[in-house]
Amino acid sequence: MILGCLLLAVSLPLVAAEKVYRLKLAETWPPNYPILGDTTKNLAAIVEKMSNGRLIIRIDSKNKHKAPLGIFDMVKAGQYDIGHSASYYWKGKDPNALFFTTMPFGMTTPEQYGWFYYGGGLELMEKVYARHGMLSFPGGNTGNQMGGWFRKEIKSLDDLQGLKMRIPGFAGEVFARLGASPTNIPAGELYTSLERNTIDALEWVGPALDLRMGFHKIAPYYYTGWHEPAAELHFLINKKSWDKLPSDLQEILRVAMRSVAYDMYAQSYHENSESWSKIRTEFPDIKVKSFTGEVLDAMQKANMELLAERAAKDPLAKEIIDSQAAYLEKARAWTSISDKAYLNSLDD
């Protein structure tokens, strides 16, 4: 009897438990932050389901890791496997990182996604982050962002002189060239900074997130956008953590990131539409403005000067700038004859 049991045991196939891979993700956002924070939760849920529980992502919000603008360093050092943030926050770590969020007067979201996935954008981003031992992938787009909340109306370039404004990325450099004093402040400190006059103005995202923050209670002038026509967040991944994953889990993670990135764009568009309707009907004191032609012309001139200076100093920056410009020229011709022409026809 004992011999029979032994023979049966030997004949049965050996089934080993599949290894579970656990990754830690740090995000810039507060806990349960809408839209931006939804994206990381969606990622974790999708990869766990697609991998049948073999890939688990734990999310730490900024209240946990205490460094909302420190995602780059934490992922690079291996303290976290993944980060979710905006690449233009890291211009002090690598100036070329800022090109991959969005650029003033640049591509719209569909145009920029075309550049990322089919126009060489991902390959250029890989060049930048490889030097830091990281990979980077698109992590969700807010669409065209609004130009910000201002205490006073901006009627001329004189009104920008000495203006203290929260505005990150290349747009901050444009404002600085025009005489303003740009700064970058985490989301949780924005309202207090505006309320206490630490800053005179700020830009955040758009109606869906801005109304929740209450900026309109302090700064009633709400300007249309010019600076972030396609604000893309990013997933940063430590290269060593990535290499430890089996190829099938890498592909699951890659597909899941692409899926949640586009879903965030759709959610942003929906939520902004809902909130814009509220602004029109429930908040009559908000004064929606556009910058004057004089101000916009000066912004565009400063932007072109800064791009030329950056390209002259850094060959990789020049490669990225030239790639974006060439793709924008081609894609905008199609945008103009398709979407723009359609919308114009409705106004005729």
Side-chain angles (χ1 to χ4, degrees), residues 124-146:
L124 287 167
M125 187 159 61
E126 185 175 354
K127 280 189 180 182
V128 172
Y129 282 97
R131 298 185 294 191
H132 303 283
M134 290 188 283
L135 300 170
S136 182
F137 299 88
N141 205 290
T142 66
N144 196 348
Q145 293 198 2
M146 291 292 283

Side-chain angles (χ1 to χ4, degrees), residues 275-320:
S275 295
W276 183 248
S277 177
K278 287 184 180 180
I279 286 178
R280 296 171 65 189
T281 58
E282 300 176 24
F283 297 94
D285 293 335
I286 294 177
K287 301 172 178 63
V288 179
K289 299 284 183 177
S290 293
F291 292 106
T292 66
E294 175 201 17
V295 172
L296 284 171
D297 287 346
M299 289 174 173
Q300 196 155 17
K301 182 174 181 290
N303 186 64
M304 295 302 294
E305 291 173 351
L306 287 164
L307 285 172
E309 291 169 11
R310 186 67 60 86
K313 292 178 182 178
D314 184 340
L316 182 52
K318 184 179 188 306
E319 187 179 0
I320 298 168

Side-chain angles (χ1 to χ4, degrees), residues 83-95:
H84 190 239
S85 192
S87 68
Y88 61 12
Y89 291 157
W90 323 129
K91 69 176 185 178
K93 306 294 180 181
D94 191 322

Side-chain angles (χ1 to χ4, degrees), residues 16 23 78 82 89 98 146 191 198 235 247 256 276 278 307-308 345:
L23 303 178
I82 309 178
Y89 291 157
L98 64 79
M146 291 292 283
Y191 185 89
T198 304
F235 291 110
S247 60
W276 183 248
K278 287 184 180 180
L307 285 172
S345 71

Side-chain angles (χ1 to χ4, degrees), residues 89-303:
Y89 291 157
W90 323 129
K91 69 176 185 178
K93 306 294 180 181
D94 191 322
N96 290 329
L98 64 79
F99 293 111
F100 301 107
T101 298
T102 187
M103 292 297 290
F105 306 105
M107 291 178 275
T108 64
T109 302
E111 292 167 345
Q112 186 166 276
Y113 271 141
W115 176 71
F116 271 128
Y117 291 117
Y118 297 100
L122 289 182
E123 290 79 6
L124 287 167
M125 187 159 61
E126 185 175 354
K127 280 189 180 182
V128 172
Y129 282 97
R131 298 185 294 191
H132 303 283
M134 290 188 283
L135 300 170
S136 182
F137 299 88
N141 205 290
T142 66
N144 196 348
Q145 293 198 2
M146 291 292 283
W149 299 89
F150 294 76
R151 293 177 179 273
K152 298 179 181 179
E153 187 175 359
I154 305 300
K155 298 179 180 179
S156 70
L157 288 172
D158 291 340
D159 295 322
L160 295 180
Q161 304 309 303
L163 183 83
K164 296 174 291 184
M165 182 173 182
R166 183 273 178 191
I167 182 167
F170 214 72
E173 297 182 29
V174 170
F175 258 81
R177 179 150 295 198
L178 297 181
S181 298
T183 187
N184 193 17
I185 300 172
E189 302 171 23
L190 290 176
Y191 185 89
T192 302
S193 297
L194 191 63
E195 185 181 40
R196 294 178 179 175
N197 293 315
T198 304
I199 54 176
D200 305 307
L202 61 80
E203 66 80 42
W204 182 224
V205 181
L209 295 177
D210 291 7
L211 278 183
R212 301 169 193 258
M213 303 286 270
F215 302 137
H216 58 284
K217 299 175 184 177
I218 306 169
Y221 293 96
Y222 197 26
Y223 275 79
T224 56
W226 61 277
H227 65 308
E228 296 192 28
E232 186 73 31
L233 303 182
H234 286 87
F235 291 110
L236 296 184
I237 302 182
N238 182 281
K239 184 63 163 54
K240 292 180 180 177
S241 298
W242 175 265
D243 289 342
K244 291 177 183 177
L245 295 175
S247 60
D248 66 320
L249 293 186
Q250 289 178 350
E251 189 62 19
I252 284 173
L253 184 53
R254 193 194 312 271
V255 170
M257 288 187 293
R258 187 162 176 170
S259 173
V260 300
Y262 188 79
D263 188 69
M264 181 181 143
Y265 176 46
Q267 183 185 6
S268 294
Y269 208 95
H270 168 72
E271 296 291 347
N272 279 326
S273 299
E274 294 285 334
S275 295
W276 183 248
S277 177
K278 287 184 180 180
I279 286 178
R280 296 171 65 189
T281 58
E282 300 176 24
F283 297 94
D285 293 335
I286 294 177
K287 301 172 178 63
V288 179
K289 299 284 183 177
S290 293
F291 292 106
T292 66
E294 175 201 17
V295 172
L296 284 171
D297 287 346
M299 289 174 173
Q300 196 155 17
K301 182 174 181 290
N303 186 64

Side-chain angles (χ1 to χ4, degrees), residues 17-79:
E18 291 189 286
K19 182 176 179 179
V20 175
Y21 292 82
R22 300 182 184 275
L23 303 178
K24 294 188 298 180
L25 182 153
E27 61 182 0
T28 290
W29 333 116
N32 300 313
Y33 197 70
I35 304 177
L36 313 187
D38 292 340
T39 304
T40 53
K41 292 182 179 65
N42 290 342
L43 178 72
I46 289 173
V47 298
E48 182 174 359
K49 186 172 184 178
M50 290 177 66
S51 69
N52 196 28
R54 292 169 55 220
L55 183 57
I56 306 295
I57 296 177
R58 189 193 83 192
I59 301 167
D60 284 355
S61 302
K62 73 167 194 172
N63 65 311
K64 179 74 173 180
H65 56 69
K66 309 295 185 184
L69 299 182
I71 306 298
F72 182 101
D73 288 333
M74 291 189 293
V75 175
K76 182 175 181 177
Q79 183 179 348

